Amino acid sequence: MKKPRLKFQAPTGTRDLLPEDLAYYKKIYSLAEEYAQFYGFKRIEPPILEDYELFLKSTGATTDIVEKQMYILKTKGGEILALRPEFTPSLARSYFENGMISWPHPVKLYTRGPLFRYEKPQAGRYRQFHQINFEIFGSKKPIAEIEIIWIFLKILEKLGIKKIVVEINSIGDSQCRPYYKKILTRYLKHNQHLLCATCKRRLKKNPLRVLDCKEIKCQKVIKEAPQIIDYLCEECHDHFEKVLEYLEALQIPYNLNPYLVRGLDYYTKTVFEIILEKNLQKRQNALAGGGRYDGLLRLIGKQDIPAAGVAGGVERIIEVLKDNNISFEEEQKREAKVLIAQLGDEAKIESLKLIEEFWRAKIPVEFLLTKDSLTNQLKIANRKKIKYVVIIGKEEVIKKASILRDMETGKQESIQREKLVKEIKKLLKKNK
Ligand code: AMP
């Protein structure tokens, strides 16, 4: 049956994360955090709102993210802000703003949280989504890329995701890319009539992005296009060679993809995507993407700080987990073996104090403070198969006592309030 449309629904491309969803988020975040700590990445949390120009300058004015997907708003004070569409520019801004430049280098940062892009919603593509993000600021060594790729692969591995491949390419730097761009543009102009309308536009503004196009007609042109790998300067060439050497030495499965350029302007040298082997041909639904961006920090803080980073899509990871029937819900469930039943207002107050004692003793308890009927509370305990019920009525409050009922045997005994938690702890231990 079709659900009636409610007056208010979550905006298109966004959704409520319900308890069963959050069990996945919790697991992914906690693993990522463990890795961040162990590998020396400090967690920071930038604001969700940023100056719109931050992304315009760094992500790039002609990128899809800035041109089409950014949520922009004008405040009452006249500022133009954006809901962050990605993390890297925020972290780079924070690096300068918070004096991280004087920290021991490299500065390794970790962050996570929601991002916003006005995209056409579809499987694995939302308007509000979440990423985990690792960045290394202040190292130009190829091992920096490897470290973040390695961490990400290990997180996926620990989650139980198998058969992952790193798609990798080098897109050169300011030394060699301009020349390649010229060569590519010449080739694409020659074949302009064969390109899709979007690529015709891309050709004028950002020809490298044509290589990223998934349209079949463009694919034919792309296949014959000159490849950047043949135009890398010596420095970029050596850098990339080293990256590939490391991947091989670590036996990380990779696929050299000369057409991988990624959508953003700021990348230099290495770009990569982490993708399920079975999605390799489709070249979509990457679990994570990243690369090196040696020029980005200069755009934000006017200093040359080489950097590399990776961003992984939490929703994409969850989809793979669900496809593979991997779930973490059980871990979240706390099975209470004790229920506190109360009768009367004084007993409700006393119950709250008692719940706190159980909390301190780390014993999970159920309670039904909004219920007034004792019979009802006992029925619920029965239904939930809870073995012990603590009953507190008016008299127990006055006497500083409690009744402990074993629901299996039906036996009841009065126990002094101050001894109750200790007694229950003993019983639970015995019943283990
Ligand atoms: P990007 O920031 O575009 O490099 O994307 C990095 C990763 O974030 C991708 O590999 C996806 O896993 C994820 N991602 C990007 N955009 C979205 C989206 N609209 N919805 C869900 N996940 C996304």
Side-chain angles (χ1 to χ4, degrees):
M1 206 170 66
K2 214 175 157 192
K3 275 196 217 160
R5 205 184 147 75
L6 294 167
K7 181 164 162 53
F8 294 110
Q9 297 195 330
T12 308
T14 73
R15 65 212 169 113
D16 300 307
L17 301 178
L18 301 177
E20 65 262 30
D21 303 311
L22 287 169
Y24 285 97
Y25 285 78
K26 189 175 164 196
K27 179 74 186 181
I28 294 168
Y29 285 158
S30 74
L31 244 179
E33 217 141 289
E34 260 179 60
Y35 264 90
Q37 259 185 24
F38 204 82
Y39 280 77
F41 286 74
K42 301 247 181 303
R43 179 168 166 203
I44 71 162
E45 217 171 284
I48 287 173
L49 287 167
E50 290 276 3
D51 185 335
Y52 145 82
E53 278 196 34
L54 175 69
F55 302 107
L56 194 69
K57 264 208 152 163
S58 51
T59 310
T62 63
T63 58
D64 279 357
I65 291 185
V66 171
E67 215 174 36
K68 299 186 202 151
Q69 299 173 342
M70 210 145 67
Y71 283 86
I72 301 165
L73 58 100
K74 195 170 170 187
T75 67
K76 285 183 180 155
E79 294 162 292
I80 302 187
L81 302 179
L83 292 180
R84 62 185 182 201
E86 57 152 341
F87 276 121
T88 308
S90 297
L91 296 191
R93 174 199 50 69
S94 177
Y95 170 87
F96 290 111
E97 193 170 337
N98 295 294
M100 293 181 208
I101 200 156
S102 62
W103 292 8
H105 275 59
V107 171
K108 305 206 282 188
L109 300 177
Y110 161 72
T111 194
R112 65 171 210 211
L115 299 161
F116 304 85
R117 291 183 197 171
Y118 193 79
E119 307 212 51
K120 198 168 149 208
Q122 49 190 289
R125 207 164 274 282
Y126 303 97
R127 289 184 179 170
Q128 178 176 339
F129 62 99
H130 299 74
Q131 279 185 348
I132 48 179
N133 198 282
F134 294 84
E135 314 273 354
I136 300 181
F137 292 156
S139 171
K140 57 179 177 186
K141 303 248 169 76
I143 196 72
E145 286 99 302
I146 297 298
E147 183 174 334
I148 51 179
I149 291 174
W150 175 259
I151 288 179
F152 213 87
L153 292 177
K154 291 296 151 196
I155 291 173
L156 295 176
E157 208 176 87
K158 295 252 162 30
L159 288 168
I161 299 178
K162 296 188 182 94
K163 300 203 170 155
I164 311 156
V165 179
V166 180
E167 283 240 278
I168 199 155
N169 191 22
S170 172
I171 55 167
D173 63 5
S174 55
Q175 293 281 324
C176 49
R177 202 178 332 159
Y179 179 62
Y180 170 69
K181 245 183 178 170
K182 238 191 225 168
I183 302 273
L184 178 69
T185 309
R186 197 183 304 153
Y187 167 81
L188 292 175
K189 270 193 179 149
H190 196 72
N191 293 285
Q192 210 173 143
H193 57 289
L194 302 170
L195 296 175
C196 72
T198 316
C199 280
K200 277 183 186 139
R201 250 183 298 121
R202 282 179 181 148
L203 176 54
K204 285 194 196 104
K205 290 186 179 173
N206 196 346
L208 243 64
R209 289 290 326 273
V210 175
L211 300 179
D212 230 359
C213 186
K214 314 242 161 33
E215 293 275 331
I216 295 171
K217 61 196 275 198
C218 297
Q219 280 290 317
K220 282 186 193 152
V221 179
I222 294 164
K223 266 207 178 106
E224 303 294 320
Q227 298 184 355
I228 184 146
I229 215 98
D230 299 323
Y231 295 86
L232 294 180
C233 61
E234 199 181 336
E235 192 189 311
C236 288
H237 178 273
D238 292 351
H239 186 97
F240 195 43
E241 204 168 59
K242 198 80 207 162
V243 167
L244 298 183
E245 261 174 40
Y246 284 136
L247 288 176
E248 271 172 37
L250 288 163
Q251 295 179 331
I252 295 174
Y254 70 90
N255 178 45
L256 231 156
N257 177 351
Y259 308 113
L260 182 73
V261 292
R262 314 223 60 243
L264 315 175
D265 270 6
Y266 52 63
Y267 284 110
T268 49
K269 297 186 172 133
T270 322
V271 287
F272 64 84
E273 282 186 352
I274 295 173
I275 193 161
L276 282 186
E277 204 179 86
K278 65 175 185 158
N279 287 339
L280 204 55
Q281 292 312 316
K282 290 188 248 163
R283 286 184 52 212
Q284 60 187 19
N285 288 351
L287 297 174
R292 171 162 287 285
Y293 41 89
D294 291 344
L296 173 71
L297 275 78
R298 162 156 288 282
L299 298 174
I300 294 171
K302 298 204 171 79
Q303 297 203 51
D304 277 321
I305 309 284
V310 62
V314 180
E315 286 74 13
R316 297 266 175 94
I317 298 173
I318 294 175
E319 268 155 37
V320 176
L321 292 172
K322 285 185 177 169
D323 280 352
N324 289 293
N325 295 319
I326 302 171
S327 81
F328 307 106
E329 227 181 308
E330 289 307 310
E331 286 181 23
Q332 218 193 23
K333 261 191 202 150
R334 40 157 228 159
E335 286 217 345
K337 294 197 169 65
V338 184
L339 183 140
I340 302 170
Q342 40 66 36
L343 200 61
D345 267 349
E346 292 86 349
K348 284 190 204 295
I349 292 167
E350 196 53 37
S351 294
L352 272 174
K353 294 181 190 161
L354 186 55
I355 292 163
E356 199 50 25
E357 279 180 44
F358 277 108
W359 189 87
R360 265 183 261 128
K362 297 194 168 61
I363 302 174
V365 285
E366 291 261 354
F367 47 88
L368 303 150
L369 294 178
T370 56
K371 301 255 182 268
D372 295 328
S373 141
L374 187 60
T375 325
N376 227 339
Q377 295 177 61
L378 290 177
K379 259 192 204 159
I380 292 171
N382 232 338
R383 202 173 59 225
K384 292 195 166 182
K385 297 197 170 63
I386 293 178
K387 185 167 163 64
Y388 298 108
V389 175
V390 175
I391 303 169
I392 300 185
K394 218 178 193 166
E395 215 181 298
E396 281 70 35
V397 176
I398 296 168
K399 287 192 190 154
K400 294 194 171 34
S402 60
I403 297 167
L404 179 62
R405 182 186 171 96
D406 184 323
M407 297 296 282
E408 281 166 14
T409 61
K411 257 191 171 164
Q412 289 195 174
E413 59 176 318
S414 178
I415 297 182
Q416 262 183 313
R417 247 301 259 109
E418 57 179 42
K419 291 194 179 144
L420 178 68
V421 175
K422 232 185 191 168
E423 275 308 306
I424 289 185
K425 205 171 194 173
K426 260 197 240 160
L427 284 171
L428 291 175
K429 223 176 192 175
K430 221 163 64 187
N431 285 324
K432 245 187 184 170

